[in-house]
Amino acid sequence: MSWVNAIIQGVLLGGLYALFACGLSLMFGVMKVINLAHGDLAVVAGYVAVGVIAVTHIPTVWSFVLVVPVMAVLGYVLQRTLIQASLNRGLLTPLLVTFGLSVVIENGLLQFFSANSHSLNIGSLVSDSISVGSQISIAYLLLVIFVVAVVVLLGLQYFLSVSRQGRLIRAVADDREAAQLAGADYRHVFGIAAAIAFATVALAGIAFGMYSSFDPTIGTDQLLLFAFAAVVIGGLGSLWGTLAGGIILGVAQQIGAQINSADQILAGYLIFLLVLLIRPQGLTGARTPS
Amino acid sequence: MSAVTAAAASAAQETTVRVTRSRRPAGWLVLIAVAAIAVLGYLPYVVYSGTTDQLVNVFILLTMASMWNLLAGYAGLVSVGQQAFIGLGAYFVLIAAQHGMNPFAALPVAALGCGAIGLVVWWLVSRLRGGYFAIATWVVASACALVISRFASLGGGTGAPLPGLSGLSPTLLTAYTYWIALAVTVVTLAAVYLIMRGRLGLVLTAVRDDEVGARSIGARVWRARQLVFVVAAVGCGAAGALLIISQLNVEPTAAFSVQWSAEMIFATIIGGIGTIEGPIIGTVVFFVLQQTLSQYNAWYLIILGLVAIAIALWAPRGLWGLVAEPAHVRLFPVGYWLWPADEPGPQRRRLGGLLRGKRQARDASAAPRRSRQ
């Protein structure tokens, strides 16, 4: 039964990873940028939430109402300045710039908030769970995060396929020059896409802060790599692939933890490397990544 | 770029153009290099061990930055996972020392072992490009750290001290460490220079300037990248081995820390990516900034990160590019200069002529003088 429990926990955890991953996937899909500061931005969102809660005393679960818009604006501004500037300067520059950004953010957080870990206190919700039988217990929090992740992915899918802005984003992603000829301001569209990506990463950062404690280094040590692993396992360009990738990563980690509690993270990486080896385009991808 | 690549060099054979390696005679640079190495080698006799310890750190960073420059600056492989080989190099030395081998003798073995691992890792990541490659190498490094910290015999997650050096007096140990570090750095720079002067260097320069163009003239880009990746693994393995020898213990989170990548990337970008001189200048600048800002904790990495971002955006050739490019200065002549027949080319001064005479004669015979049709 403990194996079934591990798999259920892994699936739910996969929702959180998919939430982390969808912003990374969106930015790569539209701007062709792998944002190496992605994990750190989630941590930034966590610290912004800590600050917002301390100042306004709003309930923790509602902090996203303020944090998500702040991160979205930050995303738009960063995209229109640093990331756009790096995009104009060749293939390597965006990687170097976002990596530099990642180091600056991580050490900035260390400088101002110290290496102590923080968490977002949500009272009893963190431990409340539904018990099924004697061995299986499903934490409300993870269940809520999973539902949020699915809703966000659904919303994103709907937004990209139906709304005017969404179609504009897809047009620019498919063929930037043609979209420009048709009158689209691709820089603005890139900004919107980055704002959406940062909004999802803000949600993920808050959710992670409720689920576990975080410190300035966890963004690069774990979150970026988990998000990227979920994207690669699932395959680029498919939001449902990202969800599947997150779930596979989560299940692999939980099964690894079941074998040996020290092996949780390693098991996730091994699955990632295995997928890279036998199916580099991911589960849903049709072509090899370039 | 002042360097013209393969196409122009072969075109030169059909005209009366003479090809030389540098614009000015460069033989005197060899003397400067020999003198610099001699002075650096003599240092342990005249300075305190604190200074040589600092210089060991400089040498380690310089080795790593040169390797990363070879990867990203020439082969277009932005690796954020070189700390895998730094950590493995350190742990290979630890394993060898635990089995009774002298740590200094274990250094080359550890470096070659990292080369073998590099070949395996390359097989795993070779299909990936850009950001994919960057994060995949990073994941490999994290996985290596997790695997290593599982071995209780290697100290698990808390690390282990390096045995086998307790017989040496502290003074002698410091001096030996310094000389080994100097040797590793000199060998690394010489290897990079020789690679860049040879056929592989020509392919790499072409890839750096225009990958599609390089492929279209038949350059074996994949093979060149594989070789560079393995060489970089060997170099970073040696740097890791130096690390454990200079610190006398090793700890997985520190040895496999992504901070190594940050340091080698920042040093290379600040100095000038895609030149051999860049990492040298960058390492010096990095180290001076680190020393000046060290009392402000994390600030040095914040400032270095901001400087690196600014340079990547607004001065992509780095500090060396800003200084050297207008002046046509090259400390490591790896390019080609074309000289029309009616121009005498670099003046053969006594020293330069002595050291370069043979080479120039061969270049001249490779480009037979024919009157233009």
Side-chain angles (χ1 to χ4, degrees):
Chain A
M1 275 314 255
S2 61
W3 291 95
V4 178
N5 188 38
I7 289 170
I8 291 173
Q9 302 300 329
V11 169
L12 294 179
L13 198 56
L16 179 58
Y17 293 156
L19 201 54
F20 273 116
C22 66
L24 194 71
S25 175
L26 184 69
M27 282 188 76
F28 185 77
V30 179
M31 280 84 93
K32 311 285 179 283
V33 170
I34 297 255
N35 180 8
L36 295 180
H38 192 80
D40 299 283
L41 291 165
V43 179
V44 167
Y47 278 99
V48 171
V50 169
V52 160
I53 292 161
V55 172
T56 62
H57 301 291
I58 57 171
T60 306
V61 276
W62 292 106
S63 61
F64 74 90
V65 177
L66 290 169
V67 177
V68 168
V70 167
M71 291 299 288
V73 170
L74 179 70
Y76 187 86
V77 171
L78 259 184
Q79 171 62 37
R80 289 303 295 262
T81 52
L82 272 187
I83 302 177
Q84 184 64 52
S86 70
L87 277 173
N88 299 336
R89 289 170 173 79
L91 294 170
L92 301 188
T93 319
L95 282 174
L96 304 182
V97 168
T98 54
F99 183 72
L101 203 60
S102 155
V103 174
V104 170
I105 291 174
E106 181 178 329
N107 287 284
L109 290 174
L110 273 172
Q111 191 64 38
F112 291 112
F113 296 98
S114 81
N116 296 337
S117 60
H118 287 70
S119 62
L120 300 174
N121 183 13
I122 46 170
S124 63
L125 190 58
V126 74
S127 52
D128 283 353
S129 58
I130 315 163
S131 292
V132 183
S134 59
Q135 296 262 335
I136 299 169
S137 70
I138 299 168
Y140 278 128
L141 178 65
L142 267 182
L143 197 61
V144 169
I145 292 174
F146 186 83
V147 171
V148 167
V150 172
V151 167
V152 165
L153 288 171
L154 267 175
L156 211 50
Q157 183 91 339
Y158 181 78
F159 171 79
L160 287 175
S161 51
V162 174
S163 77
R164 190 183 128 76
Q165 273 299 341
R167 279 180 292 151
L168 210 53
I169 289 176
R170 281 191 297 138
V172 170
D174 279 349
D175 190 336
R176 203 180 81 187
E177 274 83 14
Q180 265 181 290
L181 284 176
D185 175 5
Y186 79 92
R187 291 187 184 83
H188 178 69
V189 175
F190 278 7
I192 298 286
I196 295 168
F198 276 51
T200 60
V201 92
L203 274 181
I206 294 170
F208 185 77
M210 295 174 180
Y211 169 70
S212 133
S213 63
F214 56 93
D215 61 53
T217 58
I218 203 162
T220 45
D221 283 351
Q222 297 189 354
L223 300 185
L224 171 71
L225 301 186
F226 290 173
F228 183 74
V231 171
V232 169
I233 293 171
L236 265 181
S238 158
L239 289 170
W240 299 115
T242 301
L243 181 63
I247 288 174
I248 290 171
L249 181 68
V251 170
Q253 286 188 351
Q254 291 300 323
I255 288 179
Q258 195 68 34
I259 297 166
N260 180 340
S261 63
D263 283 341
Q264 178 175 358
I265 293 167
L266 184 61
Y269 290 159
L270 291 182
I271 284 287
F272 163 77
L273 292 175
L274 196 68
V275 169
L276 212 55
L277 199 62
I278 56 179
R279 202 174 157 79
Q281 72 272 39
L283 297 177
T284 59
R287 62 196 168 84
T288 51
S290 55
Chain B
M1 268 329 285
S2 56
V4 285
T5 47
S10 66
Q13 299 195 347
E14 283 147 34
T15 62
T16 56
V17 172
R18 210 153 57 80
V19 183
T20 61
R21 278 292 185 173
S22 64
R23 190 157 181 254
R24 298 193 184 87
W28 54 276
L29 286 171
V30 179
L31 277 193
I32 291 187
V34 171
I37 294 167
V39 168
L40 284 173
Y42 191 68
L43 272 188
Y45 294 107
V46 287
V47 298
Y48 289 113
S49 60
T51 313
T52 50
D53 282 347
Q54 298 278 20
L55 280 171
V56 168
N57 293 332
V58 175
F59 291 148
I60 291 174
L61 179 57
L62 179 52
T63 304
M64 298 190 306
S66 295
M67 290 296 108
W68 192 80
N69 178 47
L70 202 59
L71 278 173
Y74 288 107
L77 302 168
V78 179
S79 166
V80 193
Q82 288 311 103
Q83 64 270 24
F85 303 112
I86 293 168
L88 288 176
Y91 272 97
F92 285 166
V93 169
L94 178 68
I95 293 168
Q98 283 178 343
H99 289 84
M101 198 170 175
N102 183 309
F104 290 115
L107 185 143
V109 180
L112 291 178
C114 283
I117 302 279
L119 209 56
V120 177
V121 174
W122 175 252
W123 172 65
L124 211 60
V125 299
S126 61
R127 280 179 292 190
L128 309 173
R129 282 290 155 271
Y132 264 82
F133 184 85
I135 306 194
T137 49
W138 196 340
V139 170
V140 169
S142 294
C144 286
L146 291 169
V147 170
I148 288 285
S149 54
R150 285 213 50 181
F151 287 96
S153 62
L154 299 176
T158 52
L162 176 67
L165 288 172
S166 49
L168 285 169
S169 77
T171 324
L172 217 50
L173 178 61
T174 314
Y176 281 161
T177 309
Y178 173 82
W179 281 322
I180 295 279
L182 179 64
V184 166
T185 310
V186 170
V187 168
T188 306
L189 286 178
V192 172
Y193 176 58
L194 290 177
I195 285 174
M196 291 318 296
R197 270 188 87 121
R199 197 184 173 81
L200 179 62
L202 214 53
V203 173
L204 290 175
T205 313
V207 172
R208 175 195 66 180
D209 291 345
D210 183 349
E211 186 183 335
V212 179
R215 280 182 196 281
S216 70
I217 57 167
R220 294 167 76 188
V221 177
W222 194 86
R223 176 53 54 88
R225 284 193 161 130
Q226 181 188 34
L227 236 139
V228 165
F229 193 80
V230 172
V231 168
V234 172
C236 287
L242 284 177
L243 199 70
I244 186 174
I245 290 173
S246 71
Q247 299 186 338
L248 294 178
N249 70 348
V250 64
E251 193 241 317
T253 42
F256 289 95
S257 167
V258 73
Q259 186 150 331
W260 296 118
S261 275
E263 293 190 357
M264 63 179 100
I265 291 174
F266 290 168
T268 309
I269 295 176
I270 291 171
I273 187 170
T275 58
I276 301 178
E277 297 89 345
I280 303 175
I281 309 289
T283 302
V284 173
V285 172
F286 186 101
F287 197 72
V288 169
L289 269 175
Q290 193 182 30
Q291 292 303 306
T292 338
L293 299 171
S294 59
Q295 70 258 43
Y296 305 110
N297 304 328
W299 274 108
Y300 87 92
L301 269 177
I302 299 174
I303 290 173
L304 280 164
L306 292 173
V307 170
I309 291 174
I311 287 185
L313 286 176
W314 292 295
R317 298 238 162 261
L319 295 182
W320 178 253
L322 288 179
V323 176
E325 215 148 280
H328 297 297
V329 181
R330 293 183 142 234
L331 297 183
F332 295 91
V334 293
Y336 290 90
W337 278 91
L338 302 188
W339 301 90
D342 51 352
E343 222 175 284
Q347 293 297 314
R348 292 188 192 184
R349 295 191 191 111
R350 259 180 305 166
L351 267 177
L354 260 180
L355 288 162
R356 298 176 36 79
K358 232 177 183 172
R359 174 115 218 152
Q360 278 183 339
R362 212 168 75 199
D363 281 346
S365 65
R369 284 159 193 258
R370 251 185 283 155
S371 57
R372 220 171 262 139
Q373 296 297 310

